[in-house]
Amino acid sequence: MNNILNLVPKLPVAEQIERLTRWITQTFSFLFDPIQTYSELFMDGITTFLLFIPPIIFILLIALLAFFVSGKKFGLTTFSIVGLWFIYNQGHWENLMNTITLVLVASLLSVIIGVPFGILMAKSTIANNILKPVLDFMQTMPAFVYLIPAVAFFGIGVVPGVFASLIFAIPPTVRFTNLGIRQVSTELVEASEAFGSTGFQKLFKVELPLATSTIMAGINQTVMLALSMVVIASMIGAPGLGREVLSSLQRAQIGTGFVSGIGLVVLAIIIDRITQKLTNKTKK
């Protein structure tokens, strides 16, 4: 049996991928280098702005957001105040701001890119058939693999971390946008067409508003996936709480690692609850 399998020589897949990666890196270095430089400056600016806000003001702003989003209930508000104060008390405020910057930029890019692709999949059967296996590939590929092209194209730092997080987190937004538009009642679509709506009007005044709750659910999943990449992205130099977790693991500093992990949990719960509440509001 082994002899039969050995009749076919080993396919040079790894060698070809390495050759392709080197070619892309060298050919498009004129594009990757400015993207890395200006993106890093942009994200440094966001972090600097967040750090410029006094921690007490930032905590109160998040608490007010949680209060109104949760329907003026105090559960999420209290948790936000206590959780963010705990992170500040433990000396991880700057790490928290770096983490928020990474998640914010990766999530925003995922939405900007993902929603149009989701609309394209909903409108085109050909695009749907092409993009579905691509999304399956992106969601089943181990997250660590995304670090390889990120480092090859952008070196190390926060930019490749955002790039890896973007690839890892974008599929839910694409899928849920596609699903939400496809679930819009055909009767409503036909009625809008009967009243003379153009394709643009039908999309932005009928389909997208009715699909908003589904799209928001996809955005919620995208944000959580971007947050889950924080620790993994720290392996290629992305700053934030993830770097503290990785450093603690390497140095066997259990206490520091636990506190940093708690900080990530607090941030994840706050983001998840706020986006869930926003999703629920769009359903009403």
Side-chain angles (χ1 to χ4, degrees), residues 52-68:
F52 178 76
I53 302 173
I56 184 63
I57 301 298
F58 186 90
I59 293 173
L60 290 176
L61 289 174
I62 297 298
L64 284 173
L65 176 63
F67 180 70
F68 287 107

PDB file of all heavy atoms in Angstrom, residues 52-68:
ATOM      1  N   PHE A  52      -4.860  60.086  26.628  1.00  0.00           N
ATOM      2  CA  PHE A  52      -5.021  61.488  27.008  1.00  0.00           C
ATOM      3  C   PHE A  52      -6.281  61.687  27.861  1.00  0.00           C
ATOM      4  O   PHE A  52      -6.327  62.576  28.712  1.00  0.00           O
ATOM      5  CB  PHE A  52      -5.086  62.357  25.747  1.00  0.00           C
ATOM      6  CG  PHE A  52      -5.306  63.811  26.020  1.00  0.00           C
ATOM      7  CD1 PHE A  52      -4.274  64.619  26.481  1.00  0.00           C
ATOM      8  CD2 PHE A  52      -6.558  64.383  25.829  1.00  0.00           C
ATOM      9  CE1 PHE A  52      -4.480  65.974  26.729  1.00  0.00           C
ATOM     10  CE2 PHE A  52      -6.777  65.727  26.086  1.00  0.00           C
ATOM     11  CZ  PHE A  52      -5.732  66.522  26.538  1.00  0.00           C
ATOM     12  N   ILE A  53      -7.280  60.839  27.636  1.00  0.00           N
ATOM     13  CA  ILE A  53      -8.514  60.928  28.426  1.00  0.00           C
ATOM     14  C   ILE A  53      -8.219  60.433  29.838  1.00  0.00           C
ATOM     15  O   ILE A  53      -7.717  59.311  30.005  1.00  0.00           O
ATOM     16  CB  ILE A  53      -9.633  60.080  27.798  1.00  0.00           C
ATOM     17  CG1 ILE A  53      -9.909  60.523  26.364  1.00  0.00           C
ATOM     18  CG2 ILE A  53     -10.909  60.167  28.634  1.00  0.00           C
ATOM     19  CD1 ILE A  53     -10.881  59.629  25.619  1.00  0.00           C
ATOM     20  N   PRO A  54      -8.505  61.208  30.862  1.00  0.00           N
ATOM     21  CA  PRO A  54      -8.283  60.732  32.238  1.00  0.00           C
ATOM     22  C   PRO A  54      -9.040  59.431  32.490  1.00  0.00           C
ATOM     23  O   PRO A  54     -10.192  59.294  32.049  1.00  0.00           O
ATOM     24  CB  PRO A  54      -8.841  61.877  33.096  1.00  0.00           C
ATOM     25  CG  PRO A  54      -8.751  63.089  32.218  1.00  0.00           C
ATOM     26  CD  PRO A  54      -9.008  62.596  30.826  1.00  0.00           C
ATOM     27  N   PRO A  55      -8.403  58.460  33.146  1.00  0.00           N
ATOM     28  CA  PRO A  55      -9.063  57.166  33.375  1.00  0.00           C
ATOM     29  C   PRO A  55     -10.451  57.278  33.986  1.00  0.00           C
ATOM     30  O   PRO A  55     -11.371  56.557  33.592  1.00  0.00           O
ATOM     31  CB  PRO A  55      -8.087  56.438  34.308  1.00  0.00           C
ATOM     32  CG  PRO A  55      -6.761  57.028  33.978  1.00  0.00           C
ATOM     33  CD  PRO A  55      -7.023  58.453  33.631  1.00  0.00           C
ATOM     34  N   ILE A  56     -10.637  58.210  34.954  1.00  0.00           N
ATOM     35  CA  ILE A  56     -11.931  58.340  35.606  1.00  0.00           C
ATOM     36  C   ILE A  56     -12.999  58.787  34.600  1.00  0.00           C
ATOM     37  O   ILE A  56     -14.146  58.323  34.638  1.00  0.00           O
ATOM     38  CB  ILE A  56     -11.852  59.327  36.800  1.00  0.00           C
ATOM     39  CG1 ILE A  56     -13.181  59.382  37.544  1.00  0.00           C
ATOM     40  CG2 ILE A  56     -11.417  60.697  36.332  1.00  0.00           C
ATOM     41  CD1 ILE A  56     -13.604  58.106  38.184  1.00  0.00           C
ATOM     42  N   ILE A  57     -12.608  59.688  33.674  1.00  0.00           N
ATOM     43  CA  ILE A  57     -13.545  60.151  32.652  1.00  0.00           C
ATOM     44  C   ILE A  57     -13.884  59.014  31.695  1.00  0.00           C
ATOM     45  O   ILE A  57     -15.052  58.816  31.323  1.00  0.00           O
ATOM     46  CB  ILE A  57     -12.969  61.349  31.870  1.00  0.00           C
ATOM     47  CG1 ILE A  57     -12.662  62.520  32.821  1.00  0.00           C
ATOM     48  CG2 ILE A  57     -13.911  61.790  30.775  1.00  0.00           C
ATOM     49  CD1 ILE A  57     -13.882  63.062  33.533  1.00  0.00           C
ATOM     50  N   PHE A  58     -12.870  58.252  31.292  1.00  0.00           N
ATOM     51  CA  PHE A  58     -13.088  57.127  30.383  1.00  0.00           C
ATOM     52  C   PHE A  58     -14.028  56.103  31.018  1.00  0.00           C
ATOM     53  O   PHE A  58     -14.964  55.615  30.372  1.00  0.00           O
ATOM     54  CB  PHE A  58     -11.745  56.476  30.036  1.00  0.00           C
ATOM     55  CG  PHE A  58     -11.851  55.388  28.998  1.00  0.00           C
ATOM     56  CD1 PHE A  58     -11.733  55.684  27.651  1.00  0.00           C
ATOM     57  CD2 PHE A  58     -12.062  54.062  29.369  1.00  0.00           C
ATOM     58  CE1 PHE A  58     -11.834  54.691  26.698  1.00  0.00           C
ATOM     59  CE2 PHE A  58     -12.163  53.061  28.425  1.00  0.00           C
ATOM     60  CZ  PHE A  58     -12.045  53.377  27.088  1.00  0.00           C
ATOM     61  N   ILE A  59     -13.784  55.775  32.282  1.00  0.00           N
ATOM     62  CA  ILE A  59     -14.620  54.799  32.982  1.00  0.00           C
ATOM     63  C   ILE A  59     -16.061  55.294  33.069  1.00  0.00           C
ATOM     64  O   ILE A  59     -17.017  54.538  32.844  1.00  0.00           O
ATOM     65  CB  ILE A  59     -14.053  54.509  34.388  1.00  0.00           C
ATOM     66  CG1 ILE A  59     -12.706  53.785  34.265  1.00  0.00           C
ATOM     67  CG2 ILE A  59     -15.033  53.670  35.210  1.00  0.00           C
ATOM     68  CD1 ILE A  59     -11.980  53.614  35.593  1.00  0.00           C
ATOM     69  N   LEU A  60     -16.235  56.575  33.369  1.00  0.00           N
ATOM     70  CA  LEU A  60     -17.583  57.133  33.470  1.00  0.00           C
ATOM     71  C   LEU A  60     -18.286  57.147  32.113  1.00  0.00           C
ATOM     72  O   LEU A  60     -19.501  56.886  32.039  1.00  0.00           O
ATOM     73  CB  LEU A  60     -17.525  58.552  34.045  1.00  0.00           C
ATOM     74  CG  LEU A  60     -17.146  58.653  35.532  1.00  0.00           C
ATOM     75  CD1 LEU A  60     -17.036  60.118  35.949  1.00  0.00           C
ATOM     76  CD2 LEU A  60     -18.182  57.927  36.403  1.00  0.00           C
ATOM     77  N   LEU A  61     -17.546  57.424  31.048  1.00  0.00           N
ATOM     78  CA  LEU A  61     -18.146  57.406  29.714  1.00  0.00           C
ATOM     79  C   LEU A  61     -18.625  56.009  29.338  1.00  0.00           C
ATOM     80  O   LEU A  61     -19.733  55.840  28.800  1.00  0.00           O
ATOM     81  CB  LEU A  61     -17.141  57.920  28.681  1.00  0.00           C
ATOM     82  CG  LEU A  61     -16.812  59.416  28.722  1.00  0.00           C
ATOM     83  CD1 LEU A  61     -15.688  59.743  27.739  1.00  0.00           C
ATOM     84  CD2 LEU A  61     -18.058  60.240  28.402  1.00  0.00           C
ATOM     85  N   ILE A  62     -17.801  55.006  29.614  1.00  0.00           N
ATOM     86  CA  ILE A  62     -18.206  53.627  29.328  1.00  0.00           C
ATOM     87  C   ILE A  62     -19.394  53.229  30.202  1.00  0.00           C
ATOM     88  O   ILE A  62     -20.324  52.551  29.750  1.00  0.00           O
ATOM     89  CB  ILE A  62     -17.026  52.655  29.554  1.00  0.00           C
ATOM     90  CG1 ILE A  62     -15.885  52.972  28.591  1.00  0.00           C
ATOM     91  CG2 ILE A  62     -17.473  51.209  29.373  1.00  0.00           C
ATOM     92  CD1 ILE A  62     -16.229  52.821  27.134  1.00  0.00           C
ATOM     93  N   ALA A  63     -19.384  53.675  31.458  1.00  0.00           N
ATOM     94  CA  ALA A  63     -20.492  53.366  32.362  1.00  0.00           C
ATOM     95  C   ALA A  63     -21.794  54.004  31.866  1.00  0.00           C
ATOM     96  O   ALA A  63     -22.857  53.375  31.901  1.00  0.00           O
ATOM     97  CB  ALA A  63     -20.161  53.854  33.770  1.00  0.00           C
ATOM     98  N   LEU A  64     -21.716  55.257  31.384  1.00  0.00           N
ATOM     99  CA  LEU A  64     -22.901  55.916  30.840  1.00  0.00           C
ATOM    100  C   LEU A  64     -23.413  55.202  29.591  1.00  0.00           C
ATOM    101  O   LEU A  64     -24.627  55.012  29.421  1.00  0.00           O
ATOM    102  CB  LEU A  64     -22.582  57.381  30.510  1.00  0.00           C
ATOM    103  CG  LEU A  64     -22.493  58.347  31.691  1.00  0.00           C
ATOM    104  CD1 LEU A  64     -21.995  59.708  31.220  1.00  0.00           C
ATOM    105  CD2 LEU A  64     -23.852  58.482  32.368  1.00  0.00           C
ATOM    106  N   LEU A  65     -22.489  54.792  28.728  1.00  0.00           N
ATOM    107  CA  LEU A  65     -22.875  54.037  27.538  1.00  0.00           C
ATOM    108  C   LEU A  65     -23.572  52.742  27.930  1.00  0.00           C
ATOM    109  O   LEU A  65     -24.637  52.403  27.378  1.00  0.00           O
ATOM    110  CB  LEU A  65     -21.637  53.748  26.680  1.00  0.00           C
ATOM    111  CG  LEU A  65     -21.859  52.872  25.445  1.00  0.00           C
ATOM    112  CD1 LEU A  65     -22.808  53.554  24.466  1.00  0.00           C
ATOM    113  CD2 LEU A  65     -20.520  52.554  24.765  1.00  0.00           C
ATOM    114  N   ALA A  66     -22.981  52.018  28.883  1.00  0.00           N
ATOM    115  CA  ALA A  66     -23.578  50.761  29.346  1.00  0.00           C
ATOM    116  C   ALA A  66     -24.949  51.012  29.975  1.00  0.00           C
ATOM    117  O   ALA A  66     -25.887  50.215  29.797  1.00  0.00           O
ATOM    118  CB  ALA A  66     -22.647  50.087  30.347  1.00  0.00           C
ATOM    119  N   PHE A  67     -25.083  52.120  30.710  1.00  0.00           N
ATOM    120  CA  PHE A  67     -26.336  52.439  31.397  1.00  0.00           C
ATOM    121  C   PHE A  67     -27.476  52.654  30.397  1.00  0.00           C
ATOM    122  O   PHE A  67     -28.565  52.086  30.543  1.00  0.00           O
ATOM    123  CB  PHE A  67     -26.143  53.685  32.262  1.00  0.00           C
ATOM    124  CG  PHE A  67     -27.366  54.116  33.013  1.00  0.00           C
ATOM    125  CD1 PHE A  67     -27.850  53.368  34.076  1.00  0.00           C
ATOM    126  CD2 PHE A  67     -28.040  55.263  32.636  1.00  0.00           C
ATOM    127  CE1 PHE A  67     -28.985  53.772  34.762  1.00  0.00           C
ATOM    128  CE2 PHE A  67     -29.177  55.675  33.312  1.00  0.00           C
ATOM    129  CZ  PHE A  67     -29.656  54.926  34.379  1.00  0.00           C
ATOM    130  N   PHE A  68     -27.223  53.446  29.372  1.00  0.00           N
ATOM    131  CA  PHE A  68     -28.283  53.752  28.412  1.00  0.00           C
ATOM    132  C   PHE A  68     -28.534  52.598  27.447  1.00  0.00           C
ATOM    133  O   PHE A  68     -29.670  52.346  27.047  1.00  0.00           O
ATOM    134  CB  PHE A  68     -27.939  55.029  27.645  1.00  0.00           C
ATOM    135  CG  PHE A  68     -28.090  56.273  28.467  1.00  0.00           C
ATOM    136  CD1 PHE A  68     -26.978  56.966  28.922  1.00  0.00           C
ATOM    137  CD2 PHE A  68     -29.343  56.747  28.824  1.00  0.00           C
ATOM    138  CE1 PHE A  68     -27.118  58.111  29.702  1.00  0.00           C
ATOM    139  CE2 PHE A  68     -29.490  57.894  29.591  1.00  0.00           C
ATOM    140  CZ  PHE A  68     -28.372  58.576  30.039  1.00  0.00           C
TER     141      PHE A  68
END
